[in-house]
Amino acid sequence: MYEVGKVVLHKINGVCRIEDIREENLTGESQMYYVMHPIFEKSSSILYLPIEDRGGLLRALYTPSEIDHVILKGEDEKIEWIDNNNLRKTTYTELLRKGTTSQLVALIRCLTTRKTELEEQGKKFSVTDDRILSEARNRVDQEFAYSLNIDRENVPNYVLDIIAKREK
């Protein structure tokens, strides 16, 4: 169980601070809920998640050393470009829903590589692929930026630095 004030990762809504733990009757049955606010969201959204999180939506944030490990593991993950649009959308969306952070790092690498290739050929990257890439980046950038205490814009350079150190 997490405590009030703890910053955690919500797999869908990103980095959140637990503001309260209280009993609510949101489904016709009273149960205990985490009451959270997404840190990087500009709106005043409030999230309620039952403490009995059977979907595994919450987890502790990675430490800086764990982030370095996740980046390197992501480099070893094999996520290939899928030519079939429907299969690609289904597969990559499933990775967004259920994938590990290292798989998201690998997905970002795959999509970024493909986007660069298409741009070099004067072609456009699909809106669907761009949305998936943006969502994957958003999730990874939020957690890495918060845990590493850096700006979100600096996360890609941090990832590249860790990969470069490995290759030396």
Side-chain angles (χ1 to χ4, degrees):
M1 186 163 134
Y2 300 107
E3 305 164 354
V4 172
K6 178 82 173 168
V7 177
V8 294
L9 182 75
H10 187 283
K11 283 188 94 176
I12 296 169
N13 294 289
V15 177
C16 296
R17 181 178 318 283
I18 297 174
E19 301 292 339
D20 196 8
I21 298 172
R22 65 178 178 240
E23 190 170 333
E24 293 284 344
N25 185 352
L26 302 177
T27 61
E29 179 181 320
S30 288
Q31 55 183 322
M32 296 300 289
Y33 284 86
Y34 291 117
V35 181
M36 304 174 290
H37 290 100
I39 289 177
F40 289 98
E41 194 174 290
K42 293 189 186 345
S43 73
S44 57
S45 295
I46 299 173
L47 304 174
Y48 292 85
L49 183 71
I51 288 178
E52 302 269 335
D53 174 25
R54 293 184 183 18
L57 291 175
L58 279 191
R59 70 165 170 77
L61 294 175
Y62 288 127
T63 65
S65 62
E66 289 171 329
I67 287 172
D68 293 355
H69 177 75
V70 165
I71 291 167
L72 296 174
K73 187 174 179 193
E75 276 297 293
D76 294 335
E77 296 274 353
K78 301 295 180 221
I79 295 181
E80 301 292 330
W81 177 257
I82 301 169
D83 286 325
N84 180 294
N85 291 338
N86 290 331
L87 180 58
R88 184 174 63 249
K89 178 183 176 184
T90 301
T91 302
Y92 294 173
T93 300
E94 188 68 12
L95 273 173
L96 282 176
R97 284 185 53 240
K98 295 183 179 179
T100 64
T101 304
S102 61
Q103 288 173 321
L104 292 180
V105 168
L107 180 62
I108 291 167
R109 184 185 69 241
C110 173
L111 290 170
T112 302
T113 300
R114 182 63 176 174
K115 183 175 184 176
T116 301
E117 290 169 354
L118 289 172
E119 287 171 352
E120 288 172 354
Q121 297 170 12
K123 297 179 180 177
K124 292 199 177 239
F125 196 55
S126 82
V127 172
T128 301
D129 293 329
D130 202 42
R131 181 194 58 76
I132 292 169
L133 175 58
S134 293
E135 182 62 31
R137 277 187 178 151
N138 183 47
R139 290 190 193 170
V140 169
D141 289 357
Q142 277 190 34
E143 179 174 17
F144 287 12
Y146 189 88
S147 293
L148 295 167
N149 196 27
I150 62 175
D151 291 332
R152 288 175 67 181
E153 300 80 39
N154 295 330
V155 170
N157 287 334
Y158 182 88
V159 170
L160 291 173
D161 287 348
I162 295 301
I163 294 166
K165 285 178 189 175
R166 174 183 173 176
E167 293 173 353
K168 285 183 181 180

